[in-house]
């Protein structure tokens, strides 16, 4: 039978490694700023443009139902983020929380998954920013020129890296502007589309119906065991739609990665994360309803940019530019906010001895993770330019591997919450439901998505390129390659013997921490054999 003992203040971390001790600018962000960062990081404009056509292809008029169904595991996981951040408002988020709950090895790979996911997606965001900048100025020829798109995309990475370097407040103000343009453009498009449908002046339009929100009737809604079995590549329309839609919610957790720079670090970021998911589901459902009501579904299925298909029809050629601006600002905003979680995860890992101390450096004037920010920009440029030179097919397939990393660290966070608070789950119905049941359901769903995605994407035909690498689909090979690289780096860092991070034990929260009356640093309980 295990025993527990109270650990001394600061146990389990080196000096300056705890929440609020890394040198970041505390109190710089409020609830609105962190929510804006969470929503902007998800890139709703770009996500809708790139994904909605494929969701419609498999779900038809039930696409809005797919959008809210995909929101469910995100909402459950957001609850885990709230309660873990309340106990440990550390900018390392999943890395720090999984380390506390499950030990340093699991925590390390949770942090690595965040870094990998963010580096991978930067290539796609930079490419979209480059293409849509040219489209905005009617330079269609340049938008199809890989070289110039790559040059402009790398320039965007350099610019947003610089913005992130010179301060979190500058980053937040930039997000207000970019997200504001995006939301205004999507809002105007939605209102005009629905008004025109209402007055019946659009040929081929369809009156919106509440049945679109009812998942009943989607092919495969009554799932067979073959489709539910995560170790099978069998997939119904519902499965494909969810696999597509669930990842367009990714990014809201950026609101929590700036916790050490937020006012009331233990509560504000968690609230912002939950609010972000609610805002996102509202945007996705309303816009998807407007799009298919205006244009039907036949012309939208399998389109890789549905907003481009219907934009000019809804708003005219001049106002249609607003949708180009929406996608452009969406990609740019997300490109910037993607740097934030990566650099702060690296900062936390370095401060605790899980990564080279080099990455724990803080810029003394701007109070930002200087080294980690610069390296994130450099790695993003190298990854984007390198994949473009090697093969654009490899670039598109890398985006599918992105989903594996997202599902991994989201699921890990949800399970970490349940495991960390396991001895307090029976202390009232709120704990049972919000701290236990919801995160557990989120963890189950995302674990299923992770395993199912591996088996689906292992089939070469299910990759974007249709290519075969080592007998498998390229997305799975890319994902496995990154995890092998992570294992090598983990072993190298562990053999360096830096600090006592790898000697840490899993922890349990004290009663005060579990009640939200204290944070885990200095008020923790270490589980002993």
């Amino acid at each position: 039978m295990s025993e527990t003992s109270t650990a001394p203040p600061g146990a389990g971390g080196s000096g300056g490694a705890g929440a609020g001790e890394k040198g970041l600018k505390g109190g710089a962000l409020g609830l609105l700023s962190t929510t804006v960062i969470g929503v902007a990081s998800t890139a709703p404009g770009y996500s809708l443009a790139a994904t909605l056509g494929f969701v419609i292809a498999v779900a038809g008029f039930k696409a809005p139902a797919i959008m809210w169904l995909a929101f469910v595991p995100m909402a459950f996981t957001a609850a885990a983020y709230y309660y873990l951040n309340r106990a440990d408002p550390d900018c390392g988020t999943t890395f720090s929380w999984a380390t506390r709950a499950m030990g340093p090895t699991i925590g390390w790979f949770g942090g690595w998954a965040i870094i990998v996911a963010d580096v991978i997606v930067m290539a796609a965001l930079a490419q979209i920013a480059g293409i849509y900048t040219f489209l905005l100025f009617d330079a269609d020829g340049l938008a199809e020129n890989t070289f110039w798109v790559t040059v402009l995309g790398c320039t965007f990475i350099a610019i947003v890296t610089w913005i992130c370097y010179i301060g979190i407040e500058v980053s937040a103000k930039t997000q207000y502007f970019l997200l504001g343009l995006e939301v205004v453009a999507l809002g105007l498009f939605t209102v005009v589309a629905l008004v025109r449908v209402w007055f019946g002046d659009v040929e081929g339009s369809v009156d919106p119906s509440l049945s679109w929100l009812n998942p009943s009737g989607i092919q495969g809604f009554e799932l067979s065991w073959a489709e539910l079995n995560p170790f099978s590549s069998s997939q119904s329309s519902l499965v494909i739609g969810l696999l597509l839609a669930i990842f367009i919610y990714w990014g809201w957790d950026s609101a929590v990665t700036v916790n050490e720079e937020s006012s009331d670090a233990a509560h504000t970021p968690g609230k912002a994360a939950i609010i972000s998911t609610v805002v996102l589901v509202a945007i996705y459902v309303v816009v998807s309803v407007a799009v298919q009501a205006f244009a039907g579904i036949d012309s939208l299925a399998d389109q890789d940019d549905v907003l481009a298909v219907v934009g000019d029809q809804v708003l005219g050629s001049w106002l249609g530019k607003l949708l180009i601006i929406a996608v452009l600002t969406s990609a740019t905003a997300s490109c910037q906010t993607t740097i934030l979680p990566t650099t702060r995860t690296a900062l936390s890992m370095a401060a605790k001895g899980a990564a080279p101390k080099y990455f724990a450096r803080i810029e003394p004037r701007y109070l930002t993770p200087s080294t980690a920010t610069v390296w994130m920009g450099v790695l993003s440029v190298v990854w984007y330019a390198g994949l473009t030179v090697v093969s654009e097919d490899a670039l598109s397939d890398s985006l599918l591997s992105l989903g594996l990393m997202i599902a991994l660290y989201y699921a890990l966070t949800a399970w970490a919450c349940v495991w960390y608070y396991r001895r307090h789950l029976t202390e009232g119905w709120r704990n049972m439901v919000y701290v236990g049941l919801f995160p557990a359901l989120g963890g189950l769903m995302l674990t299923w998505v992770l395993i199912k995605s591996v088996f689906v994407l292992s089939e070469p035909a299910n990759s974007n390129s249709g290519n075969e690498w080592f007998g498998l689909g390229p997305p799975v090979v890319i994902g496995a390659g990154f995890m092998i690289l992570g294992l090598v780096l983990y072993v190298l860092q562990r053999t360096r013997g830096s600090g006592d991070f790898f000697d840490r034990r899993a922890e349990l929260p004290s009663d005060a921490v579990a009640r939200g009356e204290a944070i885990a640093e200095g008020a923790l309980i270490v589980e002993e054999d």
Side-chain angles (χ1 to χ4, degrees), residues 221-242:
F221 182 69
E222 296 179 359
L223 295 171
S224 67
W225 166 244
E227 292 153 355
L228 276 175
N229 181 6
F231 302 103
S232 166
S233 60
S234 176
Q235 45 186 335
S236 66
S237 294
L238 178 61
V239 170
I240 298 171
L242 284 176

Side-chain angles (χ1 to χ4, degrees), residues 346-379:
L347 169 65
S348 182
M349 294 178 74
K352 289 179 167 64
K357 291 293 185 183
Y358 180 68
F359 292 101
R361 294 179 181 174
I362 296 293
E363 212 291 326
R365 178 180 177 186
Y366 302 116
L367 302 181
T368 56
S370 55
T371 302
T373 301
V374 171
W375 268 103
M376 176 57 182
V378 171
L379 289 175

Side-chain angles (χ1 to χ4, degrees), residues 19 39 50 76-77 106 109 145 157 194 204 223 279-280 283 302 386 395 408 480 512 518 525:
V39 175
F76 288 159
T77 306
I106 295 178
F109 280 97
N145 186 299
I157 292 176
L194 291 176
L223 295 171
V279 170
L280 288 167
I283 292 174
D302 284 325
L395 176 59
L408 173 61
I525 294 177

Side-chain angles (χ1 to χ4, degrees), residues 253-309:
D253 53 300
S254 293
V256 188
T257 63
V258 294
N259 47 16
E260 295 191 42
E261 295 146 287
S262 302
S263 59
D264 192 5
H267 297 92
T268 296
K271 293 177 183 177
I274 294 172
I275 294 171
S276 296
T277 61
V278 174
V279 170
L280 288 167
V281 70
I283 292 174
Y284 291 150
V285 169
V286 170
V287 175
S288 61
V289 167
V291 168
Q292 61 186 37
F294 185 89
I297 58 174
D298 293 339
S299 63
L300 300 177
D302 284 325
Q303 291 289 340
D304 57 8
D305 188 346
V306 295
L307 297 183
V309 173

Side-chain angles (χ1 to χ4, degrees), residues 100 147-148 232 235 292 315 336 339 379 382 397 433 447:
R100 285 190 179 277
F147 174 79
W148 287 112
S232 166
Q235 45 186 335
Q292 61 186 37
L315 298 173
Q336 178 187 331
I339 294 175
L379 289 175
V382 171
D397 283 333
V433 173
T447 301

Side-chain angles (χ1 to χ4, degrees), residues 480-503:
F482 271 114
M483 294 313 292
I484 292 171
L485 174 60
L487 179 61
V488 172
L489 296 176
Y490 169 82
V491 171
L492 289 175
Q493 183 64 23
R494 183 155 192 159
T495 56
R496 286 164 57 95
S498 55
D500 59 356
F501 173 77
F502 294 102
D503 295 326

Side-chain angles (χ1 to χ4, degrees), residues 131-175:
I131 290 172
Y132 275 78
T133 298
F134 288 129
L135 291 177
L136 182 62
F137 295 100
D138 296 319
D140 292 9
L142 289 175
E144 297 175 358
N145 186 299
T146 301
F147 174 79
W148 287 112
V149 168
T150 304
V151 169
L152 189 54
C154 291
T155 302
F156 269 102
I157 292 176
I159 292 172
V160 297
T161 301
W162 174 73
I163 292 174
C164 290
Y165 186 92
I166 63 174
I168 188 64
E169 291 164 315
V170 176
S171 297
K173 290 176 181 177
T174 305
Q175 289 303 311

